[in-house]
Amino acid sequence: MRVEHFRKATLYCGDCREILPELAGGVAAIVTDPPYGISYQTGRRKVMDTPDMLANDSKAPLWSVPLMYEVVENTGAIYLCTRFDVAPMWQQALIDAGAILKTPIIWDKGNWTSGDLTGDYANQCELILFAHKGRHKLKDGRPSNLWRVSRDPAGEHPTPKPVALMARCIHNSVNKGGTVLDPFMGSGSTGVAAIREGCHFIGIELELKYFDISCRRIEAEDSQLSIFDFME
């Protein structure tokens, strides 16, 4: 296992099955985009000549839910990105772990993905499941569950989540100085968002390639924040 420490973040390269039980707790929110269990591979070629197939995406890692639930603090929130066809499995896993399932967020990506061009509707939405442990109160009242945030193109990661999307989850549920966890960190969008929102971040990523990308992005964000703190 490899660990990298930054001023506002601690990143682990390893299996979250081994790392999550070792965390001390005190996590205000989990904001994560776990593998969907669909062996996704982008067919777009504008950014990458040979897009990667996501590793470990053959089966949704439902085993992670009780581990996540244990480390989130009482009154803490869980935001979990998923697709409509596998959402029921994640919802049941959250309920079985003891989480309180609430209204899901509909992410309108602004454009649609490829698929059946003649026999199906073009999908431009994904779900973000929202649950909490104990009683959780949103910071700014009761916002709408329909969020329009433009998706990022596939690049160094085949299915990156926009920083703005993850930041909205964090902003609604975590006070400045709180800790945000992403046990399926990918290319680090949640970590960048957490630092921008004035939070501490814990990230876990199994694949070394994506871990290195996360380290680079989060170090750059953390360094920029340090400069602004110094100027103040």
Side-chain angles (χ1 to χ4, degrees):
M1 181 177 67
R2 178 176 151 197
V3 184
E4 295 289 342
H5 296 281
F6 303 101
R7 199 172 68 98
K8 287 278 191 176
T10 301
L11 310 184
Y12 297 88
C13 184
D15 193 326
C16 66
R17 278 174 283 205
E18 301 171 359
I19 298 167
L20 284 172
E22 300 300 319
L23 298 181
V27 172
I30 294 173
V31 181
T32 190
D33 179 27
Y36 289 2
I38 55 174
S39 297
Y40 175 83
Q41 183 175 20
T42 178
R44 297 179 182 272
R45 294 293 188 270
K46 293 181 180 179
V47 179
M48 298 183 297
D49 291 334
T50 55
D52 290 340
M53 180 173 285
L54 286 174
N56 307 301
D57 192 28
S58 60
K59 186 177 181 181
L62 303 176
W63 48 261
S64 65
V65 174
L67 297 175
M68 290 190 284
Y69 184 77
E70 284 300 314
V71 299
V72 73
E73 64 188 14
N74 195 32
T75 75
I78 299 172
Y79 291 88
L80 192 149
C81 301
T82 189
R83 277 185 15 158
F84 74 94
D85 49 349
V86 291
M89 294 187 295
W90 286 107
Q91 290 173 313
Q92 189 60 53
L94 286 163
I95 292 170
D96 291 345
I100 300 169
L101 201 62
K102 307 295 283 199
T103 302
I105 296 155
I106 310 300
W107 171 35
D108 177 358
K109 299 180 285 188
N111 58 12
W112 52 82
T113 56
S114 56
D116 186 343
L117 300 181
T118 58
D120 198 3
Y121 292 97
N123 180 38
Q124 68 179 55
C125 297
E126 289 186 30
L127 290 177
I128 304 176
L129 301 182
F130 172 50
H132 50 73
K133 185 176 181 178
R135 176 61 172 162
H136 177 77
K137 293 185 178 180
L138 297 172
K139 288 164 54 180
D140 296 328
R142 193 187 187 204
S144 168
N145 75 326
L146 179 60
W147 297 359
R148 184 161 193 175
V149 179
S150 297
R151 68 175 185 159
D152 291 342
E156 293 180 299
H157 190 280
T159 58
K161 287 296 184 289
V163 170
L165 181 71
M166 311 315 248
R168 189 176 293 194
C169 301
I170 295 166
H171 177 81
N172 288 343
S173 288
V174 186
N175 294 320
K176 290 186 183 299
T179 298
V180 177
L181 167 68
D182 186 350
F184 300 97
M185 180 170 57
S187 60
S189 294
T190 302
V192 173
I195 293 172
R196 288 184 185 177
E197 290 294 322
C199 299
H200 297 277
F201 177 67
I202 300 172
I204 305 171
E205 174 53 42
L206 182 61
E207 292 296 310
L208 179 60
K209 173 183 177 180
Y210 299 135
F211 179 79
D212 287 339
I213 294 169
S214 292
C215 287
R216 187 180 73 237
R217 294 180 69 198
I218 290 168
E219 181 178 24
E221 190 67 31
D222 195 60
S223 298
Q224 184 178 15
L225 182 65
S226 299
I227 293 172
F228 288 142
D229 287 351
F230 178 77
M231 292 172 64
E232 291 176 358

